[in-house]
Amino acid sequence: MIRQFEKKVWLATPTMHGEELKYMQEAYNTNWMSTIGENINVIEKKMSDYIGCKHSVALSCGTSALHLAIKLAGVKPGDKVFCTDMTFAATVNPVVYEKAVPVFIDSERETWNMDPAALRKAFELYPDVKVVVVADLYGTPAKYDEIKEICNEHNAVLVEDAAESLGAEYKGEKAGSFGTYNVISFNGNKIITGSSGGMLLSDDVDAINKAKKWSTQSRESAPWYQHEELGYNYRMSNVIAGVVRGQSEYLGEHIARKKEIYLRYQEGFRDLPITLNPYIENDMEPNFWLSCALIDKEHMCKQERSATCATYIKESGKSCPTEILDKLAECNAEGRPIWKPMHMQPIYKDCPFVSASDEAVNEDIFERGFCLPSDIKMKEEEQNVVIEIVRSCFA
Ligand SMILES: *Cc1c(COP(=O)(O)O)cnc(C)c1O
């Protein structure tokens, strides 16, 4: 019998260190309790330097950064935009804020990210598309050499949603540097957090200045409130920026902890019919934000999912994400299903979906995959129990 955790073991929660409070206090003491201040200036410079993008603007969240990226990319009502299919809805919702139509692109199996072959096929079907939004799933970069080449062939603008992949690398370059416009997030569950917050990065100084203006209600320089363009209240608070500033000193440490967790799962599952979320070792170093697992086809028991609930029929030696997530929850540990692909979402059911194969890769990964507790405060003994819970499902 596997014991219950007394204290819940989480998927991914904030991990504070003390410096966050120091910089928040500084904002308070100097009265920069606003969307202007030293913390904002410091993190914009720091993130630009770290990622290798010349300019950046700190915003209220990753979603607002994505919205401004979509506007900068010139998306107009009715336009089609190629988007990652298996991701959080925040990657694609901003396309719809601008009344454009997402076209969802299936994933490949080597990184679970947008499949270059499917993207190529999508350009054959929709040659007029001018914007591509790619998310780096669970901290693993997409195949940017191929994706950028295809975008260049079609004069399309690339937007990189690096909300989950801050600190990850592809061929020696940092995630958040591959698009013309790039987005990171400081949401509470990300690798570092501000409790909320996000950032837009680009080498194009004019674009970043435009985004900065839009994010502060689009005021023109005039002696009164003068407006020529639609504005938004999307700027980051200097208090939040203090949290981000403190956390930024620990990004490397957080990544190292996440990698230890990933490697321990890999070792623990060695003799189980399970593989972890894959990456290409020669080309990339993920930030290992979430450890995820995929159950071999032959070891899947029958699992039924309706729009809002799931059931399964137990078979010895076999399991499924529903059983494993139920067992984890019973033991007071938090797992999650893989992001349900956007083309399977009721809100997006009428949008086109392009796959390079007859069977959608993402439907299969969603069916057989799940996210494991990946909290960096999880102790080794606790992770060993999580591994035993998963093992017990295949008994
Ligand atoms: C978290 C996340 C976002 C949204 O970021 P927020 O800061 O929560 O708005 C966007 N895309 C992906 C892939 C994410 O995981």
Side-chain angles (χ1 to χ4, degrees), residues 60-64 66 87-88 90-91 135-136 161 163-164 184-187 189-190 197-198 289 339:
S60 57
C61 59
T63 310
S64 53
L66 279 156
T87 181
F88 186 40
T91 305
D136 302 326
D161 177 356
E164 298 175 2
I184 57 176
S185 165
F186 303 112
N187 187 346
N189 66 5
K190 300 299 198 278
W289 175 55
W339 298 128

Side-chain angles (χ1 to χ4, degrees), residues 226-240:
Q226 179 86 359
H227 300 286
E228 292 172 10
E229 293 182 288
L230 192 57
Y232 302 86
N233 184 3
Y234 277 177
R235 196 76 160 113
M236 182 186 279
S237 143
N238 191 48
V239 181
I240 297 287

Side-chain angles (χ1 to χ4, degrees), residues 360-380:
V361 170
N362 288 346
E363 289 178 27
D364 180 48
I365 296 174
F366 176 62
E367 166 83 10
R368 297 191 284 126
F370 58 95
C371 307
L372 288 151
S374 308
D375 196 78
I376 59 182
K377 292 179 290 325
M378 175 169 64
K379 297 190 177 68
E380 188 169 348

